[in-house]
Amino acid sequence: QKEVEQNSGPLSVPEGAIASLNCTYSDRGSQSFFWYRQYSGKSPELIMFIYSNGDKEDGRFTAQLNKASQYVSLLIRDSQPSDSATYLCAVNPGANNLFFGTGTRLTVIP
Amino acid sequence: GAVVSQHPSWVICKSGTSVKIECRSLDFQATTMFWYRQFPKQSLMLMATSNEGSKATYEQGVEKDKFLINHASLTLSTLTVTSAHPEDSSFYICSAGSRRAYEQYFGPGTRLTVT
């Protein structure tokens, strides 16, 4: 069973704060990990992907991967109201497809 | 780059009719395309994976005779919902795999309402 777990939230942070989104996965053989942002009524948009242990930074976003703990996170610095959305964690177990978590709903309060 | 389009963006049909949804990769060749369904406040559910020139692989519980998938070229895949019923009303989203097929880029989705 390839499971991807996320806290459904909602997670509320004030504008300018750091939002921390977490994801755990069950398949230890998973090779690549993705964070998607989905606004209400829209399709997911790829934000970041990470393959190696450690941190990967892209602008205000930092993805963190710890394969030993089977844990991947997304940090959003200087959160903006426009960051309010549902964030989906996705895991590639080595085949061509992705397994998605149920998503965490983030609200950034102005 | 990595732009995926879907058509139509929304459709309303009567129960018993069939609806075709197109998914196109506009600026890259996608050997693999994926079809998802999303009900309100739920996550994406993979319906099937289609590879160009071969039959689609359906996920458990998805009726292949009801959801017909054709992947005729490297840039086009179609999903036909046959004999649609109100319970088929959902948000249908396709995605296309890049050269690294596990990087998926999503189309804008098609909202289907069956009355």
Side-chain angles (χ1 to χ4, degrees):
Chain A
Q1 186 77 6
K2 297 177 173 60
E3 294 182 351
V4 180
E5 302 283 344
Q6 291 183 259
N7 187 325
S8 62
L11 172 66
S12 295
V13 300
E15 183 174 355
I18 296 175
S20 177
L21 305 163
N22 304 315
C23 173
T24 59
Y25 59 94
S26 62
D27 185 354
R28 188 170 286 278
S30 298
Q31 300 180 3
S32 48
F33 308 85
F34 302 82
W35 283 100
Y36 287 85
R37 176 177 61 199
Q38 186 175 25
Y39 292 112
S40 180
K42 304 293 185 181
S43 66
E45 171 191 10
L46 180 64
I47 299 175
M48 291 191 69
F49 54 86
I50 185 167
Y51 306 139
S52 303
N53 276 327
D55 295 359
K56 179 182 179 182
E57 187 174 316
D58 184 1
R60 296 187 295 113
F61 299 96
T62 299
Q64 299 175 316
L65 175 61
N66 183 325
K67 289 186 178 180
S69 300
Q70 296 175 236
Y71 174 92
V72 58
S73 66
L74 179 70
L75 300 178
I76 306 175
R77 289 182 300 280
D78 188 23
S79 296
Q80 301 297 308
S82 58
D83 295 327
S84 298
T86 296
Y87 289 80
L88 301 170
C89 170
V91 173
N92 169 250
N96 271 356
N97 53 356
L98 294 177
F99 290 92
F100 284 85
T102 53
T104 298
R105 187 157 57 92
L106 171 67
T107 300
V108 180
I109 304 168
Chain B
V3 178
V4 178
S5 71
Q6 261 183 264
H7 178 80
S9 56
W10 60 270
V11 57
I12 302 173
C13 71
K14 292 187 176 181
S15 186
T17 61
S18 296
V19 174
K20 179 185 283 189
I21 303 170
E22 291 187 351
C23 176
R24 294 180 184 272
S25 57
L26 298 183
D27 54 357
F28 67 101
Q29 293 184 330
T31 55
T32 306
M33 288 187 172
F34 305 86
W35 287 95
Y36 294 86
R37 180 167 51 181
Q38 187 175 37
F39 293 106
K41 300 190 185 302
Q42 296 186 22
S43 190
L44 298 170
M45 292 175 50
L46 179 65
M47 298 175 67
T49 302
S50 75
N51 293 295
E52 185 262 341
S54 62
K55 290 184 178 180
T57 301
Y58 290 81
E59 295 299 301
Q60 191 173 9
V62 178
E63 300 173 60
K64 62 181 180 181
D65 294 330
K66 179 171 182 63
F67 298 98
L68 302 179
I69 292 173
N70 183 278
H71 193 158
S73 74
L74 288 172
T75 59
L76 173 64
S77 176
T78 61
L79 167 68
T80 301
V81 182
T82 62
S83 187
H85 291 285
E87 58 265 31
D88 297 323
S89 298
S90 187
F91 192 41
Y92 291 85
I93 311 172
C94 74
S95 72
S98 68
R99 184 168 301 172
R100 289 181 292 194
Y102 40 80
E103 290 180 25
Q104 294 184 28
Y105 296 90
F106 286 86
T110 297
R111 191 161 301 282
L112 170 64
T113 301
V114 184
T115 60

